[in-house]
Amino acid sequence: MAEVDRMLAANARWAQQSPGGQPARPARAVAVVACMDARMDVYRILGLEPGDAHVIRNAGGVVTADTLRSLAISQHVLGTREVVLVHHTRCGMEGAEDAAVLDVVERATGVRPDWPVQGFADVEEDVRESVRTLRACPYLVSSDVRGTVYDVDTGVLREVR
Ligand SMILES: [Zn+2]
């Protein structure tokens, strides 16, 4: 059974209890930028309910051009003001060498991607750098940006200063 078939079956149960009718604007006016890591249930980790926040996820939870695009729309179209970054321990992007990742893709497909991989050497330093990048971004209205690291083993979320 393909995963999508399991998902469609699960959704048939979900749709019977889905609240619906919520506004598109996040109730808590916050956007979260987080890694796509499968171990992180961002809503539970942060105490969020559906409708509370935008959750923007990618490999590493890094600030890419598309992260900025999504945050600009989140703030200017949908009214969010705070940004919270969530990196985590034992992330696959920590220590990932850009060239090595690009080599893997090129060997498998014959095409070398033109995007940066954005691996990082130190998770806390990448959080700090991401916070600085967002605070300096001319397209965003708020400098209310804070960064965290989630420990995938203990479940503890720690703010990075
Ligand atoms: Zn990760």
Side-chain angles (χ1 to χ4, degrees), residues 28-45:
R28 289 168 58 174
V30 60
V32 175
V33 179
C35 184
M36 67 184 187
D37 192 281
R39 295 164 289 189
M40 292 203 299
D41 182 338
V42 171
Y43 284 83
R44 286 196 195 171
I45 288 168

Side-chain angles (χ1 to χ4, degrees), residues 125-147:
E125 194 44 49
D126 197 70
V127 169
R128 289 190 194 94
E129 187 180 325
S130 299
V131 168
R132 284 194 294 270
T133 300
L134 293 182
R135 285 182 177 158
C137 178
Y139 309 115
L140 302 179
V141 291
S142 173
S143 59
D144 195 352
V145 182
R146 289 164 69 176

Side-chain angles (χ1 to χ4, degrees), residues 16-71:
Q16 292 174 10
Q17 48 152 44
S18 167
Q22 290 178 304
R25 293 169 78 89
R28 289 168 58 174
V30 60
V32 175
V33 179
C35 184
M36 67 184 187
D37 192 281
R39 295 164 289 189
M40 292 203 299
D41 182 338
V42 171
Y43 284 83
R44 286 196 195 171
I45 288 168
L46 303 179
L48 295 169
E49 297 293 333
D52 279 347
H54 284 144
V55 178
I56 300 157
R57 301 189 73 168
N58 62 36
V62 297
V63 177
T64 67
D66 193 71
T67 306
L68 296 177
R69 180 188 72 90
S70 295
L71 286 174

Side-chain angles (χ1 to χ4, degrees), residues 89-135:
T89 59
R90 297 202 287 124
C91 181
M93 295 296 285
E94 188 171 14
E97 297 284 346
D98 279 35
V101 175
L102 296 175
D103 286 347
V104 168
V105 177
E106 186 175 9
R107 272 199 300 275
T109 66
V111 183
R112 193 169 188 82
D114 60 0
W115 31 258
V117 174
Q118 292 188 240
F120 45 85
D122 179 89
V123 68
E124 288 197 17
E125 194 44 49
D126 197 70
V127 169
R128 289 190 194 94
E129 187 180 325
S130 299
V131 168
R132 284 194 294 270
T133 300
L134 293 182
R135 285 182 177 158

